[in-house]
Amino acid sequence: MFEKNIVFEVVLKYVILVLLFIVLTILLVSGIMFLQGNFTETNMNLHMVSGATLVVLAIVHSYIKRKKIKKLTHELKNIINGVPVQMDCNTTRFINALKDVSVSELSSQFNADAAKILNESDIKVKSGSEKLGQVCKNNDEKMFYVFVVLMEGIFSKKDVINLDKERVCK
């Protein structure tokens, strides 16, 4: 729904969040007023409109988060059926897979000098045997950032357009 206009998506989500906060606050205050015996028509109408608005906002919020709800429902079904569930997000799994990989292994995998690329980007690498997790600790950087810098360095140096046409066409 929102793939084309990210600004609209962010503004809509923020507005929904603020409206949810306002509606819940109005419901709380009017409910407290009911407990104190203040049953005015205005208070009653405000409470009913806020309740209806809360339902509408909940439906809109559920529509926006439908993929997340579907994923959580699937995970709950797996838990009920006794199927193991991977709770880490893809980024966490990605980072965990990289932290014990040495810089020299990355160099051989990507056919590029990973240590040189990182050093040129002010991410200091002491030796090729240094693990990526240790490089991150030594430079006070996040793993994902280090990997992005490495990928930018690798692919900016390679001429992606001049690929071997026989390999591409097969």
Side-chain angles (χ1 to χ4, degrees):
M1 174 181 173
F2 299 113
E3 290 82 19
K4 299 199 184 221
N5 196 343
I6 200 95
V7 174
F8 176 72
E9 177 184 1
V10 170
V11 170
L12 180 66
K13 286 180 180 180
Y14 186 76
V15 167
I16 289 173
L17 183 66
V18 169
L19 287 175
L20 281 170
F21 178 76
I22 291 170
V23 165
L24 287 173
T25 303
I26 292 171
L27 282 170
L28 177 70
V29 170
S30 62
I32 290 172
M33 291 175 80
F34 288 153
L35 283 174
Q36 294 174 346
N38 187 1
F39 292 102
T40 64
E41 186 177 339
T42 305
N43 194 23
M44 189 73 78
N45 289 336
L46 190 60
H47 192 78
M48 288 188 302
V49 168
S50 294
T53 305
L54 180 64
V55 170
V56 170
L57 289 173
I59 291 169
V60 171
H61 179 72
S62 297
Y63 178 74
I64 290 172
K65 296 291 186 179
R66 66 188 179 280
K67 289 181 183 177
K68 184 75 169 178
I69 293 171
K70 183 178 178 182
K71 179 183 175 199
L72 288 172
T73 304
H74 180 68
E75 288 175 352
L76 180 64
K77 285 179 187 176
N78 286 342
I79 289 171
I80 290 170
N81 295 330
V83 178
V85 177
Q86 178 71 32
M87 294 305 288
D88 291 339
C89 68
N90 290 336
T91 307
T92 304
R93 291 173 54 201
F94 175 72
I95 288 169
N96 286 336
L98 282 177
K99 69 181 177 185
D100 293 327
V101 176
S102 71
V103 174
S104 59
E105 288 176 84
L106 284 172
S107 294
S108 64
Q109 287 290 324
F110 291 110
N111 196 22
D113 190 355
K116 181 180 175 189
I117 293 169
L118 292 173
N119 283 323
E120 287 173 354
S121 300
D122 292 328
I123 299 172
K124 303 302 174 211
V125 177
K126 296 176 185 172
S127 71
S129 62
E130 194 173 12
K131 305 285 184 198
L132 213 52
Q134 190 61 42
V135 171
C136 292
K137 271 187 191 175
N138 294 344
N139 290 281
D140 195 29
E141 293 289 353
K142 301 268 187 209
M143 176 73 71
F144 196 75
Y145 172 75
V146 170
F147 191 73
V148 168
V149 166
L150 185 59
M151 292 298 102
E152 286 175 340
I154 289 171
F155 290 107
S156 68
K157 295 191 185 317
K158 291 186 178 183
D159 191 6
V160 180
I161 297 170
N162 291 328
L163 293 173
D164 182 17
K165 288 183 181 180
E166 289 180 27
R167 275 191 12 226
V168 175
C169 295
K170 287 184 181 180

